[in-house]
Amino acid sequence: MKIGLLGIGTVGKGVREQLAGREDMGIQRILVRREIPELGELATRRIEDILEDPEIDTVVELMGGMEPAYSHVLRALRAGKNVVTANKLMLSYHMEELLQEASARGVQLRFDASVGGGIPYLYNLMRTRRTDEIFSISGIVNGTTNMILDTMQSSGADFSDVLAQAQRAGYAEADPSSDIDGIDARSKLCIAASVAFGKYLHPEEIAVAGIRNIASEDVLAFKRLGYTCRLLVRAERISENSVCAFVEPTLINPLEPESTVRRNDNLIGLVGRRIGQQYFFGQGAGKDPTAYSVVLGLTEIQAGERPFDGWMLDGRATVDNSQLIHRYYVRTTTRLSIPAEKLRGGGGANLYLTSPLPVDRMHALAASLRLRDPNLFFAGVRG
Ligand code: HSE
């Protein structure tokens, strides 16, 4: 196998290291944004040098972001090359078109590394679907926010200090807003839910709340209430063509499995009709685990294995978040117009625990209250 590598950032370097010394596959060219003299002849700034090279049969896209990654992947598939990508943002918007293109050209599009880094989660969703029906998926899919929440709650550390630590360790996105605002988690949920339910979701239909506004008063309140806070994703089948799907900081009992997930680890689950609840745990970010998943995809393409069959996804599903109901913790300087218990604490703000309400209602309410209180923070309460 001869590989054209697009991007040589953290994960790209990991792939290069993990392929070193292999005789059955190797990197033929690397697309770079700026000159990297030590790469010598391997480096090129022209995508055509990869797309038009008949010896390159497989493209590994690790540039991240929407463009030019999307155009490059589409062109690579059209040129009859297999593609392996870890680009969750781009896939969450273009998965349908790209999988159809791969299918039409008889090549593979592998995206194992796009959700859960080194954890074999998407692969097992597909496997489970061969003989079972998946009712719901949920879990922790963003390492940066888990590290922030875990460290804030366990050692009282400051939000920005932990974020800087995650950036240094290479977990955080180039623009860490997408981690702390829940967009990275939304992309991953969109991909995983599409795979789980066999219908493509649109990422912008998924409700998302992040942790940008979490403050030390919130951490103190969680402690008093006896909860642990984690950024969770959840999607559940509602009907043949609709699912509920949302990303929220969530307060959970300290004995729940998600509460025990420390630092940047991920824990992602599924519930199937026959198989019941299953969890997959491990390193969801970082150079080596993510590169491991990419190399595994390459190895399976080389072996002719096709776990991601195109027929397993067909048509679109809409998101309906009116059916799922739970309580919410809210910190705001405004007054809540819904039934809620007022909690003590909060510094200059009010803390509330609401009565159960639908997910779509809370997200709409938060959007309107933020016009007057941009620092409002809310979290779902499970159980
Ligand atoms: N920024 C992501 C995270 C990287 O923190 O989980 C892995 O997708």
Side-chain angles (χ1 to χ4, degrees), residues 29-295:
R29 289 317 280 277
I30 303 177
L31 182 73
V32 295
R33 283 182 223 262
R34 53 182 173 77
E35 300 297 339
I36 306 181
E38 59 270 28
L39 290 180
E41 289 290 290
L42 261 186
T44 175
R45 291 170 72 182
R46 293 182 65 248
I47 184 67
E48 290 73 20
D49 289 343
I50 289 173
L51 299 180
E52 291 167 12
D53 183 339
E55 286 194 348
I56 292 179
D57 49 71
T58 304
V59 165
V60 173
E61 186 274 305
L62 298 171
M63 310 176 80
M66 196 64 83
E67 283 292 2
Y70 160 65
S71 302
H72 290 350
V73 166
L74 186 60
R75 288 176 68 192
L77 293 170
R78 286 187 176 154
K81 301 185 193 298
N82 300 300
V83 172
V84 177
T85 177
N87 190 332
K88 54 249 157 144
L89 178 75
M90 185 273 287
L91 270 174
S92 70
Y93 281 86
H94 297 293
M95 204 170 148
E96 181 172 13
E97 181 191 12
L98 297 177
L99 273 176
Q100 283 171 357
E101 194 64 48
S103 197
R105 306 278 168 177
V107 293
Q108 289 212 49
L109 172 66
R110 292 288 299 252
F111 46 97
D112 312 53
S114 65
V115 179
I119 306 169
Y121 181 64
L122 291 178
Y123 176 84
N124 278 294
L125 275 183
M126 275 290 187
R127 273 187 80 233
T128 305
R129 281 200 47 219
R130 287 176 188 273
T131 54
D132 203 356
E133 180 189 359
I134 296 174
F135 291 146
S136 67
I137 59 172
S138 65
I140 296 168
V141 295
N142 182 271
T144 301
T145 46
N146 203 69
M147 192 155 153
I148 293 172
L149 291 172
D150 180 37
T151 319
M152 282 180 85
Q153 290 168 101
S154 58
S155 70
D158 185 65
F159 184 105
S160 44
D161 290 347
V162 194
L163 177 58
Q165 210 179 314
Q167 285 174 299
R168 280 196 301 275
Y171 308 139
E173 296 302 303
D175 174 5
S177 310
S178 72
D179 292 302
I180 62 182
D181 292 332
I183 303 302
D184 176 77
R186 182 184 78 176
S187 301
K188 292 167 178 167
L189 178 62
C190 183
I191 296 166
S194 300
V195 169
F197 306 125
K199 304 267 179 196
Y200 295 100
L201 299 191
H202 194 289
E204 287 170 21
E205 286 186 26
I206 296 174
V208 56
I211 63 161
R212 176 183 291 274
N213 285 347
I214 194 170
S216 53
E217 302 91 73
D218 302 314
V219 174
L220 290 173
F222 305 157
K223 213 171 240 172
R224 278 198 299 275
L225 291 166
Y227 285 119
T228 303
C229 184
R230 292 288 184 260
L231 185 71
L232 297 190
V233 299
R234 179 166 188 85
E236 202 170 312
R237 186 190 288 280
I238 302 285
S239 70
E240 183 56 26
N241 291 316
S242 69
V243 298
C244 82
F246 57 91
V247 181
E248 282 178 347
T250 307
L251 302 186
I252 41 183
N253 186 300
L255 297 176
E256 293 285 339
E258 291 93 339
S259 297
T260 64
V261 177
R262 312 303 301 268
R263 300 189 60 78
N264 73 316
D265 281 330
N266 285 189
L267 178 73
I268 332 173
L270 66 89
V271 177
R273 182 187 291 280
R274 299 194 180 92
I275 204 170
Q277 172 85 66
Q278 285 209 322
Y279 284 109
F280 300 82
F281 172 81
Q283 282 279 298
K287 180 181 171 190
D288 290 338
T290 312
Y292 154 88
S293 254
V294 169
V295 174

Side-chain angles (χ1 to χ4, degrees), residues 286-308:
K287 180 181 171 190
D288 290 338
T290 312
Y292 154 88
S293 254
V294 169
V295 174
L296 196 61
L298 292 168
T299 308
E300 288 180 352
I301 290 175
Q302 168 103 316
E305 294 167 25
R306 302 185 83 92
F308 289 81

